Amino acid sequence: MKTSLVHVLLISSFFFSLSIGESQSSDSCASKLTVARLIPVINTTFLSCLTPLRSANFVLRYAKAGPGIWSFVLSAADPKSYVAVGFSGDGRMVGSSAIAGWITGSGAGIAKQYSLGGKKSSGCPPDQGDLLLQGTPVVALQSSRLYLAFQLNVDQPPPYLIFAVGPDNGFPSSPTFLLPEHRDENSISVNYTALGVATSDSGGGEEEEGGEGAFGAERKHALLVMLGWGVLMPIGIVVARYFKNWDPLWFYSHLSIQGLGFGLGLAGVILGFGLDDDGISGVGVHEGLGIAILVGGCLQVTALLARPGKASKVRKYWNWYHHYVGRAAVVCAVANVFYGFKIAEETKSWNIGYGVFVAVWGFIAIFLELRRCASEE
């Protein structure tokens, strides 16, 4: 009986300790901030609250502490890495400034400001940025939660906040203190005149450009152009060259595919004109190629309207023009898609995915060309 009672007590105490641990490591806007003694430089009593990155249990508290002074306290379940909050005037990461904090292996808290000049670690140097800090930021660890607190000297902070959490055990280290690539991120826009109100929230996804979540304007531009001029138009070329025995189906298929491809590509170019290049190196070449491809596509459309009859003496010259201008435009489009991925420092999955399509398309084209040559012998 005593043994059973001891077992019951041990099990009960075990689950009680688990529940205490869970409550200590969690935080929410409904919870009272209990780290005032750890963050003596900030009055933590009257802070507004947001939950900007739910996947990492981020809780941001902020308030206007006085004339030209704003206080921020970011809390997160200990990520065994760094946490960061960036401030942007237009919602874009590149060109903004951020405060990152982490706990070292020895238990010391470190916080640094970073200038986010690119999407790679080397483009985000520490101890640089446009934020004017009031005093020294504080980083503390309590009850399995990481706290990053700081104050800014500004009449009103930039409207977009960008949040990131580093990879597992991905700590910035001496002497460079460069930030390893984050494992998750999100952005929100904040209406500071109505404290505590987030006017847009992309829900804790991967990409945050412009507050549009994983599919911002840049990726929409890339997807439209890639599908239109980088996928559909190459397919249309194959249809026109190797399936003429399916007359007139090949012609209407070719016309439909190229028309849809041109429309998608045109929409992508129009969207691209509205993008801010953020000082990205090489964007001028990308834009120049895009305009040249657009001109080539427009010439193809106008040439269709002036298409001579099959019996006309100039038909063969029109065919040469139509074939070679179209092929040149598609080759430039494929190259520009890859170049766009490069200058945007896009993830490898985009290059790999599109590269697989180009390889498969090339293999099919070569196979059909060999078969065509064999049939003509």
Side-chain angles (χ1 to χ4, degrees), residues 287-328:
E287 291 176 347
L289 273 173
I291 292 172
I293 296 162
L294 176 61
V295 170
C298 291
L299 288 174
Q300 291 291 80
V301 173
T302 55
L304 180 64
L305 301 177
R307 179 170 173 256
K310 292 182 179 181
S312 174
K313 294 181 180 181
V314 299
R315 178 58 180 262
K316 69 174 182 179
Y317 302 108
W318 184 92
N319 286 339
W320 290 347
Y321 160 81
H322 180 65
H323 295 166
Y324 291 111
V325 171
R327 292 168 188 173

Side-chain angles (χ1 to χ4, degrees), residues 15 18 36 40 42 83 91 162 169 173 178-179 217 221 237 243 272 297 322 326:
F15 283 105
L18 280 182
I42 294 179
V83 297
I162 303 169
N169 297 311
S173 58
L178 294 177
L179 294 173
H221 160 73
I237 288 176
F243 294 94
H322 180 65

Side-chain angles (χ1 to χ4, degrees), residues 33 35-47 61-63 65 69-74 134 136-138 148-152:
L33 191 61
V35 293
R37 65 181 182 82
L38 297 177
I39 312 173
V41 297
I42 294 179
N43 182 353
T44 60
T45 305
F46 302 105
L47 297 178
R61 295 175 172 88
Y62 65 97
I69 299 177
W70 286 77
S71 299
F72 294 86
V73 180
L74 177 64
Q134 171 79 13
T136 303
V138 175
L148 169 62
F150 56 92
Q151 291 184 311
L152 299 181

Side-chain angles (χ1 to χ4, degrees), residues 119-321:
K119 295 184 179 180
K120 292 183 179 180
S121 297
S122 58
C124 303
D127 301 318
Q128 298 184 33
D130 299 327
L131 302 177
L132 297 178
L133 293 169
Q134 171 79 13
T136 303
V138 175
V139 181
L141 185 65
Q142 176 175 286
S143 302
S144 299
R145 287 197 70 82
L146 181 65
Y147 294 87
L148 169 62
F150 56 92
Q151 291 184 311
L152 299 181
N153 281 325
V154 62
D155 291 333
Q156 182 167 297
Y160 292 94
L161 302 183
I162 303 169
F163 301 86
V165 57
D168 293 334
N169 297 311
F171 297 97
S173 58
S174 178
T176 62
F177 288 105
L178 294 177
L179 294 173
E181 185 176 354
H182 48 70
R183 71 170 181 259
D184 202 0
E185 60 185 333
N186 187 30
S187 76
I188 61 174
S189 61
V190 178
N191 180 2
Y192 293 101
T193 61
L195 292 180
V197 178
T199 57
S200 69
D201 185 348
S202 59
E206 292 189 12
E207 197 54 67
E208 37 54 45
E209 296 292 325
E212 297 185 44
F215 239 81
E218 289 86 352
R219 284 187 169 177
K220 290 176 182 176
H221 160 73
L223 185 64
L224 286 170
V225 174
M226 181 181 67
L227 288 178
W229 292 349
V231 173
L232 288 176
M233 285 199 169
I235 292 174
I237 288 176
V238 168
V239 170
R241 181 162 179 82
Y242 303 113
F243 294 94
K244 287 186 176 178
N245 55 320
W246 293 66
D247 194 36
L249 179 60
W250 76 267
F251 175 77
Y252 293 112
S253 298
H254 173 69
L255 190 64
S256 300
I257 293 171
Q258 301 304 75
L260 178 59
F262 178 79
L264 291 176
L266 179 61
V269 170
I270 293 173
L271 184 60
F273 285 145
L275 297 178
D276 184 355
D277 61 22
D278 289 323
I280 298 174
S281 176
V283 72
V285 176
H286 181 66
E287 291 176 347
L289 273 173
I291 292 172
I293 296 162
L294 176 61
V295 170
C298 291
L299 288 174
Q300 291 291 80
V301 173
T302 55
L304 180 64
L305 301 177
R307 179 170 173 256
K310 292 182 179 181
S312 174
K313 294 181 180 181
V314 299
R315 178 58 180 262
K316 69 174 182 179
Y317 302 108
W318 184 92
N319 286 339
W320 290 347
Y321 160 81

Side-chain angles (χ1 to χ4, degrees), residues 32-104:
K32 182 179 179 181
L33 191 61
T34 59
V35 293
R37 65 181 182 82
L38 297 177
I39 312 173
V41 297
I42 294 179
N43 182 353
T44 60
T45 305
F46 302 105
L47 297 178
S48 297
C49 187
L50 301 171
T51 54
L53 188 58
R54 298 182 184 90
S55 62
N57 195 210
F58 272 28
V59 177
L60 177 73
R61 295 175 172 88
Y62 65 97
K64 188 172 184 178
I69 299 177
W70 286 77
S71 299
F72 294 86
V73 180
L74 177 64
S75 116
D78 183 13
K80 307 299 181 184
S81 186
Y82 68 85
V83 297
V85 53
F87 294 81
S88 171
D90 58 6
R92 303 176 188 276
M93 184 195 82
V94 178
S96 63
S97 299
I99 304 293
W102 63 94
I103 300 293
T104 65

